[in-house]
Amino acid sequence: MRTHYTSGLKDLEDGAEVTICGWIQDIRKLGNISFLILRDREGIAQVTLVKKSLGDEAYKRISNLNRESVICVSGILKKDTQSKLGLEVIPNKIDILNEAEAPLPMGVIDRVSVDIETRLNHRFIDLRRPEVLSLFRIESSLSRGIRETLEREGFIEIHTPKIIATATEGGTNLFRVKYFENDAFLVQSPQLYKQIMMAAGFDRVYEIAPAFRAEEHNTNRHLNEFVSIDIEMSFSTDEDAMNMLENVIYSSIDFIRRNNLKDLEILNLKVDLPERPFPRIKYDELLDYVNSKGIEMRFGDDFSSEALSVIGEKYRGFYFITRWPMEARAFYVMPFEDDPRYGRAFDLQFGEREITSGAQRNHIYSSLKENIKRKGLNPDDFSFYLEAFRYGMPPHAGWAIGLERYTMILTNSKNIREVTLFPRDRRRIVP
Ligand code: AMO
């Protein structure tokens, strides 16, 4: 239907014939002439309606259309104009494709601030706002940058089941679903399956897919459905996995710096390339630091949000927390040989925020099984997983990035819902 996006008009010659399509953002009527602002995904353009040339009937009909109605405008581009935008389209034909009702549930460009609940209730309108679209363009580029890096590094994309019979990371936070006569669960992570793929000899795999967690509390950084970017790599240690993560983070930031200039400008963001290697800080060191700041925390505890905010004041950029106590991590973590109280697990942080967890995995059947028991779980429930460790399992490591968390930190968003199209939280499953 269209010949150009509005953003493409500036590259054309004066007098070019064009057809642009989009939403009526605004109409300013001045008697026999009206200025219509048409918005499409790429920007806005002025369409100048002249009563004399359109005819009374058409002029009246078009200049009285409700805001956000959808039209296509065919006409002549004029570049030498007094229009603020530096160009205008003089129409000779306007197709009204869809009339919007009035009043709108919320405004698109109005300066009045709308609360997040209203925005999410009418998300499709909220998403028409350029600065909201820019967040999702950045999110799209981040996953593309990550995907391209992983492809370059020889990873094979896989798709593992999202309906499962056993809990992945222990019993909590599970969504139960009816599966014919039986109960099943939604996956919290592709963890067990991506590890099985190492026994399958795929060597390096990745998956970008939803993960489901029944988080009890509504917070600014938890969703009940999020996009998990998972990798698993064979013949690799925790150190190899951290290096790969650094590489992926660096190149995905480089990717948005090259491909999202306009979005960064719309959002008024400056995103710097991080320095590599990222600092690696041991759990014990941070435990001491947190205690020295008067926050009570014992060996084996996870860092509370209070503890992380104190740590985040000291370490503002990317850094790893390494050498975790085994009791703080899942059963599949490989313990250190020199001191098995600690495991080869890591988190990648950005200031106070966690964006990735990972580890070298325990690939030794007997000790893995012991660890499952030590966590109070029943190895029989994991027999499909454990079997993969009995007939030739290479050492392996991997991690998972939360896509929304990652987008959130790079775009400086205060609420994870900002970077989630249709968030699922404790209170919301619609729209
Ligand atoms: P973890 O449970 O830390 O690790 O999850 C990995 C990353 O996923 C993101 N994330 C979330 N994002 C939004 N809402 C949530 N409720 C939520 N929960 C987690 C975070 C987190 O860092 N199997 C391991 C990964 C591995 O070892 O490979 C795992 O799932 O960014």
Side-chain angles (χ1 to χ4, degrees):
M1 287 183 183
R2 75 159 78 82
T3 59
H4 296 87
Y5 281 122
T6 53
S7 58
L9 300 181
K10 61 179 184 311
D11 305 324
L12 302 176
E13 300 278 307
D14 183 73
E17 278 184 45
V18 298
T19 301
I20 53 176
C21 299
W23 288 258
I24 298 176
Q25 181 160 296
D26 196 21
I27 303 181
R28 204 151 46 91
K29 287 185 254 185
L30 302 172
N32 294 331
I33 189 163
S34 293
F35 300 108
L36 182 156
I37 300 296
L38 180 136
R39 185 189 67 247
D40 63 15
R41 192 183 77 185
E42 304 296 320
I44 54 175
Q46 177 177 303
V47 178
T48 306
L49 309 172
V50 184
K51 193 178 195 170
K52 230 175 29 212
S53 47
L54 283 173
D56 281 4
E57 193 60 27
Y59 179 80
K60 196 167 149 209
R61 174 130 166 71
I62 294 156
S63 54
N64 284 320
L65 283 172
N66 288 330
R67 285 207 280 173
E68 298 300 313
S69 294
V70 174
I71 58 172
C72 276
V73 178
S74 300
I76 304 297
L77 178 69
K78 257 180 73 182
K79 295 193 89 173
D80 187 22
T81 75
Q82 280 139 28
S83 146
K84 255 196 285 179
L85 300 170
L87 46 80
E88 62 186 329
V89 174
I90 311 295
N92 41 45
K93 180 161 159 279
I94 297 184
D95 287 327
I96 301 164
L97 302 180
N98 199 258
E99 285 186 59
E101 294 177 25
L104 296 165
M106 58 173 279
V108 176
I109 49 150
D110 306 0
R111 280 284 150 239
V112 286
S113 72
V114 187
D115 64 278
I116 183 106
E117 292 301 318
T118 308
R119 290 176 50 205
L120 294 175
N121 285 340
H122 311 286
R123 189 61 153 159
F124 68 96
I125 297 193
D126 184 49
L127 293 166
R128 289 180 190 172
R129 294 158 60 194
E131 66 276 20
V132 179
L133 171 61
S134 284
L135 292 173
F136 289 97
R137 285 198 194 238
I138 289 175
E139 190 163 74
S140 159
S141 288
L142 284 177
S143 60
R144 179 148 164 231
I146 292 170
R147 185 187 291 277
E148 286 182 7
T149 310
L150 292 173
E151 291 283 341
R152 216 168 37 239
E153 294 287 347
F155 285 79
I156 299 174
E157 181 169 17
I158 59 166
H159 303 283
T160 61
K162 302 303 153 206
I163 304 174
I164 50 159
T166 10
T168 317
E169 316 259 342
T172 56
N173 294 351
L174 270 177
F175 282 115
R176 193 182 291 269
V177 293
K178 273 235 98 34
Y179 195 73
F180 305 104
E181 294 76 35
N182 297 314
D183 278 350
F185 304 98
L186 299 180
V187 276
Q188 300 157 295
S189 152
Q191 184 66 35
L192 305 186
Y193 290 94
K194 65 179 181 173
Q195 286 194 257
I196 292 174
M197 293 311 289
M198 299 299 99
F202 277 42
D203 199 66
R204 290 180 162 200
V205 300
Y206 75 99
E207 179 164 12
I208 303 180
F212 305 91
R213 307 226 177 145
E215 306 284 357
E216 282 297 328
H217 304 289
N218 255 334
T219 77
N220 286 339
R221 58 200 157 84
H222 287 94
L223 296 163
N224 291 334
E225 177 177 346
F226 67 96
V227 176
S228 187
I229 303 177
D230 277 83
I231 73 151
E232 203 64 26
M233 50 204 281
S234 283
F235 305 101
S236 299
T237 63
D238 46 339
E239 209 33 67
D240 297 324
M242 283 190 273
N243 291 339
M244 185 60 71
L245 182 54
E246 265 170 5
N247 175 4
V248 161
I249 295 287
Y250 185 92
S251 24
S252 56
I253 293 178
D254 185 46
F255 191 89
I256 60 165
R257 280 165 54 93
R258 284 185 286 111
N259 293 287
N260 295 80
L261 288 173
K262 191 167 141 190
D263 300 306
L264 295 172
E265 191 186 306
I266 287 175
L267 293 166
N268 199 12
L269 283 175
K270 194 171 159 320
V271 178
D272 294 319
L273 277 173
E275 232 173 82
R276 287 177 295 180
F278 304 159
R280 285 144 165 78
I281 308 160
K282 294 195 176 82
Y283 171 95
D284 279 354
E285 187 184 327
L286 291 175
L287 174 67
D288 290 344
Y289 180 69
V290 164
N291 281 329
S292 79
K293 292 283 170 183
I295 294 169
E296 209 179 307
M297 177 177 164
R298 280 187 312 247
F299 180 82
D301 290 348
D302 201 350
F303 295 96
S304 63
S305 42
E306 192 190 8
L308 287 176
S309 87
V310 166
I311 296 169
E313 276 164 33
K314 183 166 177 195
Y315 301 97
R316 293 182 178 273
F318 290 105
Y319 62 96
F320 287 106
I321 305 179
T322 61
R323 207 177 162 91
W324 284 73
M326 283 299 284
E327 59 202 276
R329 303 298 289 223
F331 62 80
Y332 48 73
V333 168
M334 179 64 115
F336 276 96
E337 309 74 53
D338 63 346
D339 188 345
R341 286 177 306 158
Y342 295 91
R344 294 182 173 276
F346 56 84
D347 276 359
L348 178 68
Q349 299 277 136
F350 184 86
E352 61 177 337
R353 291 201 176 130
E354 175 203 319
I355 51 172
T356 312
S357 288
Q360 182 177 330
R361 324 300 187 183
N362 191 340
H363 66 288
I364 309 298
Y365 173 70
S366 53
S367 104
L368 177 60
K369 196 168 159 188
E370 275 316 301
N371 238 344
I372 290 178
K373 285 193 208 151
R374 211 169 295 140
K375 293 278 176 192
L377 301 167
N378 182 355
D380 294 343
D381 293 339
F382 294 88
S383 50
F384 76 99
Y385 166 73
L386 285 170
E387 191 194 19
F389 293 76
R390 292 167 58 195
Y391 306 99
M393 172 64 99
H396 58 279
W399 43 252
I401 303 174
L403 176 62
E404 297 87 350
R405 288 264 184 99
Y406 185 32
T407 311
M408 190 181 170
I409 60 130
L410 288 188
T411 59
N412 215 356
S413 301
K414 300 284 171 276
N415 189 333
I416 196 163
R417 290 162 188 76
E418 295 280 354
V419 295
T420 310
L421 286 176
F422 300 103
R424 265 71 187 109
D425 63 29
R426 191 75 169 88
R427 288 192 304 259
R428 180 183 289 280
I429 45 170
V430 176

